[in-house]
Amino acid sequence: MTVDDRFVRDFREGQEEPLGTRNEIITGPVSDWATDFSHVEPEWAADPYPIQDDLRGRCPIAHTERFGGGWLPTRYEDVAAIAYDTEHFSSRAIIMSNYRPPRDIAPVGAVPPISSDPPFHHDARKLLLPAFTKKEVAKREEAARAFCHSLIDGFEGAEIVDAARDYAQHIPMRVMADMLGFPPEDGPRFREFVEHALEGVNLPPEQRVANMGELFDYLLEQIRDHVADPRDDLTTYLIDAELYGRKLEPSHVAGTMALLLIAGIDTTWSAIGASLWHLAKTPADRERLVAEPGLLPTAMEEFLRAYAPVTMARLVKDDMHWRGVDMKADDWVLLSFPAANRDPAQFDRADEVIIDREINRHAAFGLGIHRCVGSHLARMELRVALEVWLERVPVFGLADPSTVTWAPGQVRGPRTLSLRIG
Amino acid sequence: MKVQIDPERCQGHGRCYDLSPDLFTEDDEGYGQVAGDGVVPAGGERAARVAASNCPEKAIVLVEEA
Ligand code: HEM
Ligand code: HEM
Ligand code: SF4
């Protein structure tokens, strides 16, 4: 057997800082959402839905000069069309920030497969699919359930708990640490990595680069540990995986690990938190689910529709006229699955949460070729987290609505959620 | 009635095999598969319609027999 020397050297050594382009960072209150939108301002984080509903009515493809220029479609029809149209919209960047990676980073991108375009995308995605099927993730259900119980045991008679910090966030952190084969006690570091990648988009570039560096230092440490001591987990799987008859590029291994860590954690944490927030402020729904646990899978889809945590982005490939607007090459498109999910043209009573909604063709996990690879895992975690909570803590409410905080940026969910459980 | 999945559209969301496991299963990559020959047994029409109307990709085709 030959020694795997791909990771002996730091794969970043000798690499130039990717060129790409930077634009001036513009922050501060939005003047008009139709011409100056920003998904990282506090007003959007606190409650984006009225903003989106207003735009859908008066300017369904809104624009901003911030982030070097971008568009925000709010109709389901337009969001779907863009998700399907990989010919005109590229995934080479999927976080709308002040930096555009260079064009030649496509079709692989920094974090395959989410940052990849066809034809490479399909092959990078195919590597991951077998590990994330419904049947495969079902094997983790028992451990996830036991872990949820242990978190609630930890409340130990407290009257007020923070369901986001003390419950929701730990579940996906533990599941992802197990799947990747990272030490479970590293959870708090994952939280930092996630916040840096997703919430720090308006930080100065040097800070962004330093933050990214820390994540990749950590991943390289884990990779080297797995090269020395292979295990039955996703890290070893990616180290051994082959594409086109060769092992993966070191940057592909690390990039996919970064993606799983980031995409797997605060998305699911947000979905669990938003569901508990809804139930805390809606006693009728809470009581009904406690009485009819069989309704939970249906209710869960409604929480995913109404509080879809994930918004993606695309870059326009070439100048074009698109559904009435003039898009320029390298303009951003903020692809709001949450806005699509509340379009009255697609859903009856779109602005209401109806926990027994039977027809629910929502797009919380995306549409088209980038459909969330982790959707079966996320659904399992969300269901188990809510089942255990409702079984152990059937009566709860918001301790103080004014203290609830929501993550800003493209993944939205409660980050502080004080609940009275005593 | 018969159910079919358009493999060009299916992206493996799995709503069909979650909601109507008697009519649909998953393959090794999570894409939806029609169970057996796809003929919907008597009484299964509702399950077929529920699956079709929840598929985010509109990949499920219901073929009404003449
Ligand atoms: C409720 C929780 C989650 C939501 C709402 C969610 C949402 C999404 C969305 C909307 C996309 C589409 C991206 C695009 O169109 O550019 C996506 C992609 C992806 N998600 Fe998730 N996600 C969740 C949980 C997870 C989990 C637990 C994992 C796995 C560990 C995961 C891994 C991925 C991956 C690998 C992709 C890229 C797929 C591709 O590009 O082919 N996600 N997710
Ligand atoms: C395997 C290698 C790498 C991966 C997987 C990776 C991943 C990422 C991710 C996930 C983002 C944030 C998402 C986005 O803005 O689209 C990003 C942005 C960025 N990365 Fe990397 N990166 C890698 C290597 C590097 C290297 C070597 C450098 C430079 C020394 C670098 C510099 C940057 C910068 C400057 C940004 C943009 C920050 C901003 O938004 O202002 N990356 N990268
Ligand atoms: S619900 Fe639709 S996309 Fe999902 S597996 Fe079934 S047919 Fe495929």
Side-chain angles (χ1 to χ4, degrees):
Chain A
M1 204 179 97
T2 53
V3 179
D4 191 342
D5 57 6
R6 280 174 298 163
F7 303 97
V8 173
R9 241 174 61 120
D10 189 324
F11 57 87
R12 294 166 297 183
E13 263 172 48
Q15 265 185 25
E16 301 287 314
E17 164 160 1
L19 283 172
T21 50
R22 295 189 172 283
N23 56 265
E24 188 201 343
I25 300 176
I26 307 172
T27 56
V30 166
S31 56
D32 176 353
W33 287 92
T35 55
D36 184 37
F37 75 83
S38 169
H39 62 302
V40 294
E41 292 303 320
E43 199 183 337
W44 178 277
D47 192 4
Y49 307 119
I51 301 171
Q52 295 167 358
D53 290 344
D54 169 56
L55 288 176
R56 204 182 293 109
R58 71 184 170 101
C59 180
I61 305 180
H63 186 257
T64 189
E65 300 285 337
R66 299 183 192 216
F67 310 102
W71 302 93
L72 170 61
T74 44
R75 286 189 297 223
Y76 177 94
E77 199 194 322
D78 294 336
V79 170
I82 294 166
Y84 288 128
D85 185 353
T86 55
E87 209 172 301
H88 296 102
F89 301 95
S90 169
S91 285
R92 78 176 207 271
I94 30 73
I95 304 294
M96 185 170 174
S97 71
N98 298 291
Y99 167 77
R100 287 160 172 77
R103 288 192 151 218
D104 62 9
I105 198 177
V108 180
V111 280
I114 206 166
S115 61
S116 312
D117 288 329
F120 180 83
H121 167 266
H122 175 261
D123 302 319
R125 175 179 172 88
K126 202 174 158 68
L127 285 177
L128 295 177
L129 289 174
F132 288 93
T133 60
K134 188 178 179 188
K135 200 181 292 152
E136 216 31 56
V137 303
K139 297 177 186 161
R140 302 189 171 272
E141 178 164 340
E142 207 183 304
R145 187 177 301 277
F147 183 64
C148 291
H149 276 287
S150 75
L151 291 171
I152 291 184
D153 293 341
F155 296 168
E156 284 178 341
E159 278 188 13
I160 293 185
V161 296
D162 186 332
R165 200 193 55 210
D166 301 333
Y167 189 68
Q169 75 161 311
H170 294 288
I171 300 160
M173 272 180 193
R174 171 58 69 94
V175 170
M176 286 322 299
D178 282 355
M179 286 186 84
L180 286 161
F182 296 170
E185 64 276 12
D186 288 353
R189 300 188 63 187
F190 304 165
R191 176 176 181 165
E192 237 171 76
F193 297 145
V194 167
E195 283 175 356
H196 286 163
L198 295 167
E199 297 180 23
V201 297
N202 276 337
L203 292 174
E206 310 75 56
Q207 184 71 44
R208 294 280 288 165
V209 172
N211 289 345
M212 186 83 49
E214 276 175 38
L215 167 59
F216 282 93
D217 289 344
Y218 177 81
L219 295 176
L220 195 55
E221 201 184 299
Q222 297 302 326
I223 292 172
R224 285 177 177 152
D225 186 52
H226 279 75
V227 169
D229 174 18
R231 278 154 262 175
D232 181 15
D233 58 31
L234 279 175
T235 299
T236 293
Y237 172 78
L238 287 168
I239 292 170
D240 291 343
E242 290 188 11
L243 202 56
Y244 316 124
R246 284 193 294 144
K247 296 273 181 84
L248 304 181
E249 293 297 324
S251 58
H252 183 163
V253 174
T256 298
M257 290 168 64
L259 168 61
L260 293 174
L261 196 63
I262 291 170
I265 294 180
D266 74 335
T267 50
T268 311
W269 164 16
S270 298
I272 298 169
S275 304
L276 289 172
W277 171 76
H278 174 85
L279 292 172
K281 71 182 180 71
T282 321
D285 287 349
R286 173 177 57 72
E287 282 159 19
R288 182 159 176 211
L289 282 183
V290 170
E292 289 177 58
L295 187 60
L296 186 63
T298 307
M300 213 173 87
E301 295 303 319
E302 179 67 346
F303 299 147
L304 285 166
R305 180 190 72 82
Y307 308 115
V310 178
T311 296
M312 277 293 137
R314 298 288 189 264
L315 285 171
V316 173
K317 283 194 185 169
D318 299 296
D319 292 2
M320 64 172 168
H321 194 68
W322 197 83
R323 299 196 172 178
V325 300
D326 283 309
M327 295 186 169
K328 297 264 173 297
D330 278 358
D331 277 353
W332 294 103
V333 177
L334 191 60
L335 198 58
S336 176
F337 296 112
N341 278 353
R342 284 174 176 253
D343 182 350
Q346 178 75 7
F347 299 93
D348 287 338
R349 298 159 73 193
D351 57 347
E352 291 173 49
V353 177
I354 302 172
I355 61 170
D356 57 3
R357 191 185 286 275
E358 200 177 23
I359 296 180
N360 198 347
R361 216 192 278 279
H362 70 76
F365 292 106
L367 289 169
I369 64 168
H370 291 281
R371 185 274 300 170
C372 178
V373 165
S375 66
H376 303 285
L377 178 66
R379 283 186 162 110
M380 183 276 280
E381 293 180 53
L382 179 58
R383 179 174 47 76
V384 169
L386 296 178
E387 277 170 5
V388 172
W389 181 286
L390 290 169
E391 179 192 324
R392 298 281 304 274
V393 190
V395 180
F396 58 101
L398 293 177
D400 176 0
S402 71
T403 61
V404 177
T405 62
W406 295 79
Q410 285 181 220
V411 179
R412 181 177 182 273
R415 291 296 173 267
T416 337
L417 181 59
S418 283
L419 299 185
R420 179 173 298 283
I421 61 170
Chain B
M1 187 195 278
K2 250 185 117 153
V3 289
Q4 291 169 355
I5 291 180
D6 176 353
E8 294 287 307
R9 297 191 73 103
C10 173
Q11 298 291 350
H13 289 259
R15 302 300 297 129
C16 55
Y17 50 81
D18 275 349
L19 290 163
S20 308
D22 295 339
L23 296 174
F24 302 94
T25 58
E26 62 177 331
D27 73 6
D28 292 344
E29 293 182 341
Y31 293 100
Q33 299 276 298
V34 169
D37 57 8
V39 175
V40 178
E45 291 84 359
R46 190 180 148 77
R49 288 207 175 85
V50 166
S53 56
N54 278 283
C55 171
E57 310 287 350
K58 303 194 176 116
I60 297 173
V61 187
L62 302 180
V63 188
E64 308 276 351
E65 251 121 73

